């Protein structure tokens, strides 16, 4: 059980203190110490003497007046022998619960004051045996928080991975993958809502559309009359209506025809145009020479080291010569991403087309075989050659 100090005990303790006794003597006798006296005294005395306006006696006990804006109060100027007890009371008691340095210091400042109280309090708390056994340092708690956060992130990442895998499995189970081609007639899922119309009463499928381009295995470009849009294949289904609108049939035929022409043009058109240019733009007597010179230039001008222009010649029978051009990039403006192998047959002894012939729109390049008859498509003479042909 703590016994409170009496005023006499406190007064005696101050008078017996080596520093406070000097100060009390100066203050009680109105002695004015010289500069040398102050220099010879302790820092505690000098500090109190400089703030002597805040010192006052109550029942012969020296106090320090703390002019606090909220709670002005008198602080007991503590002699040396009572300081450890004050620290013990403010830190070690069950009511003090071994608070930290700042809270212990705040509790001390409510009642007592001495020079160097802050440093003494920090030293006392930091060397407290119980605090050092039970309390964790800030570094430990910080590292513990960091570790727990890393663990939480790891668990979250693992859960995300497993969730993604499960969602993909569920999606793949219900996936009804259908490969659409250009020209397919499809219906599009219409998720747009209109104000005043319940989505339950609205037809979910809209169309029909026609597929005009396959951008990727899942993305398709579709067209409805003049409007084009890119949609995911999940939002499409094949249209199996009995009656297809006439405009859609025409659009589909147009697209399919364009695709077919494009495929043929990519393989044959460029080289044929090159030969047609020569055949129709020169005189009859020069045509043979030009054709020969072109074929010679193709075979002679090739560089075997150049992978872009490689040619080979095979003699089939005695009349026909087949020239195999593996690349024509240096001759005609062919996109590099096309098939780099081109096979073209030409005959040096083939009869050249007569300009007066009614069938001059079909180019005869093989001996005895008309490309217009054997091929899938009749070769039309380019319109820009009409000016040269009488
Ligand atoms: Zn403690």
């Amino acid at each position: 059980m703590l016994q409170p100090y009496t005023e006499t005990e406190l007064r005696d303790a101050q008078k017996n203190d080596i520093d406070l006794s000097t100060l009390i003597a100066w203050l009680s006798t109105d002695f004015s110490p010289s500069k040398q006296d102050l220099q010879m005294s302790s820092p505690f005395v000098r500090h109190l003497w400089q703030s002597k306006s805040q010192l006052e006696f109550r029942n012969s006990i020296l106090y320090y007046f703390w002019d606090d804006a909220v709670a002005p109060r008198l602080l007991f100027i503590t002699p040396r022998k009572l300081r450890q007890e004050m620290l013990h009371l403010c830190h070690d008691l069950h009511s003090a619960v071994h608070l930290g340095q700042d809270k212990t210091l705040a509790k001390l400042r409510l009642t007592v004051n001495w020079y160097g109280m802050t440093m003494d309090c920090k030293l006392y708390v930091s060397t407290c045996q119980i605090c050092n056994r039970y309390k964790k340092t800030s570094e430990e708690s910080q590292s513990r928080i960091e570790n727990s956060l890393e663990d939480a992130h790891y668990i979250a990442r693992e859960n995300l991975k497993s969730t993604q895998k499960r969602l993909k499995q569920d999606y793949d189970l219900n996936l009804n993958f259908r490969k659409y081609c250009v020209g397919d007639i499809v219906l599009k899922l219409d998720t747009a809502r209109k104000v005043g119309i319940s989505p339950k009463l609205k037809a979910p499928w809209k169309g029909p559309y026609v597929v005009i381009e396959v951008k990727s295995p899942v993305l398709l470009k579709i067209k409805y009359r003049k409007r084009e849009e890119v949609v995911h294949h999940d939002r499409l289904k094949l249209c199996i209506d009995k009656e297809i609108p006439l405009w859609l049939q025409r659009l589909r035929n147009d697209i399919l025809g364009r695709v077919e022409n494009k495929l043929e043009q990519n393989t044959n058109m460029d080289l044929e145009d090159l030969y047609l240019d020569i055949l129709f733009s020169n005189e009859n007597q020069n045509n043979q020479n030009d054709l020969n010179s072109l074929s010679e230039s193709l075979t002679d001008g090739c560089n075997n080291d150049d992978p872009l222009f490689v040619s080979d010649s095979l003699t089939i029978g005695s009349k026909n010569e087949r020239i195999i051009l593996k690349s024509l990039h240096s001759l005609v403006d062919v996109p590099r991403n096309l098939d780099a192998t081109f096979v073209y047959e030409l005959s040096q002894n083939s009869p050249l087309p007569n300009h007066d012939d009614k069938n001059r729109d079909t180019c005869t390049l093989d001996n005895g075989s008309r490309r217009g008859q054997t091929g899938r498509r009749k070769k039309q003479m380019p319109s820009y050659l009409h000016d040269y042909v009488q």
Side-chain angles (χ1 to χ4, degrees), residues 335-368:
R336 296 286 175 98
N337 55 359
L338 288 178
D339 188 1
T341 304
F342 294 85
V343 180
Y344 201 85
E345 296 182 17
L346 59 93
S347 169
Q348 292 183 355
N349 299 322
S350 63
L352 291 169
N354 189 358
H355 288 180
D356 298 332
D357 192 356
K358 291 179 183 177
N359 295 326
R360 64 190 177 194
D361 55 347
T362 61
C363 175
T364 305
L365 295 170
D366 263 300
N367 194 11

Side-chain angles (χ1 to χ4, degrees), residues 99-224:
L99 292 172
Q101 295 176 356
D102 295 338
K103 288 181 180 175
T104 305
L105 188 62
K107 193 173 270 189
L108 282 170
R109 279 175 178 161
L110 289 175
T111 52
V112 295
N113 176 278
W114 71 84
Y115 181 76
M117 189 171 71
T118 306
M119 288 302 297
D120 289 347
C121 176
K122 285 186 177 179
L123 186 66
Y124 186 86
V125 174
S126 63
T127 55
C128 174
Q129 191 176 3
I130 296 175
C131 289
N132 287 336
R133 292 289 180 281
Y134 287 93
K135 289 199 173 178
K136 289 170 180 167
T137 62
S138 58
E139 291 178 359
E140 284 178 350
S141 61
Q142 187 178 350
S143 64
R144 186 172 53 82
I145 290 170
E146 286 178 356
N147 291 335
S148 61
L149 276 176
E150 283 181 5
D151 292 345
H153 283 180
Y154 177 76
I155 293 169
R157 279 196 298 272
E158 291 300 313
N159 286 342
L160 271 177
K161 280 181 192 171
S162 62
T163 307
Q164 280 177 348
K165 194 174 177 183
R166 183 171 50 79
L167 287 174
K168 188 177 185 316
Q169 284 175 349
D170 293 349
Y171 176 81
D172 291 345
L173 261 180
N174 299 324
L175 180 65
N176 187 16
F177 188 81
R178 180 185 165 82
K179 194 174 179 182
Y180 294 96
C181 304
V182 174
D184 282 353
I185 297 173
V186 293
L187 296 174
K188 188 190 79 170
L189 187 65
D190 184 22
T191 52
R193 290 190 174 197
K194 273 190 177 179
V195 179
I197 298 177
S198 169
K200 290 181 180 178
L201 303 176
K202 189 169 70 73
W205 295 98
K206 197 176 174 186
Y209 296 80
V210 62
V211 178
I212 60 172
E213 187 181 350
V214 180
K215 286 190 164 288
S216 79
V218 293
L219 282 181
L220 302 147
K221 195 174 196 178
I222 58 174
K223 187 170 185 178
Y224 181 84

Side-chain angles (χ1 to χ4, degrees), residues 214-274:
V214 180
K215 286 190 164 288
S216 79
V218 293
L219 282 181
L220 302 147
K221 195 174 196 178
I222 58 174
K223 187 170 185 178
Y224 181 84
R225 292 189 186 274
K226 291 183 178 178
R227 188 157 52 88
E228 298 177 358
E229 56 186 313
V230 177
V231 293
H232 195 266
H233 83 294
D234 278 1
R235 297 183 62 202
L236 296 176
K237 78 168 183 179
L238 204 62
C239 177
I240 50 173
D241 292 353
K242 287 176 187 169
E243 296 178 359
I244 302 296
L246 193 60
W247 66 267
L248 190 64
Q249 293 179 18
R250 285 177 182 161
L251 180 63
R252 184 171 180 268
N253 291 337
D254 187 31
I255 291 166
L256 289 177
R258 215 182 299 159
V259 170
E260 194 175 330
N261 287 342
K262 197 174 177 183
L263 286 173
E264 290 185 6
Q265 282 172 4
N266 285 340
T267 53
N268 298 326
M269 189 71 179
D270 296 311
L271 194 56
E272 287 183 8
D273 281 351
L274 183 70

Side-chain angles (χ1 to χ4, degrees), residues 8 46 52 76 132 151 165 234 280 331 373 378:
T8 310
R46 284 203 297 274
K52 67 178 180 180
F76 175 65
N132 287 336
D151 292 345
K165 194 174 177 183
D234 278 1
F280 288 96
L331 279 175
Q373 292 171 352
K378 282 189 175 182

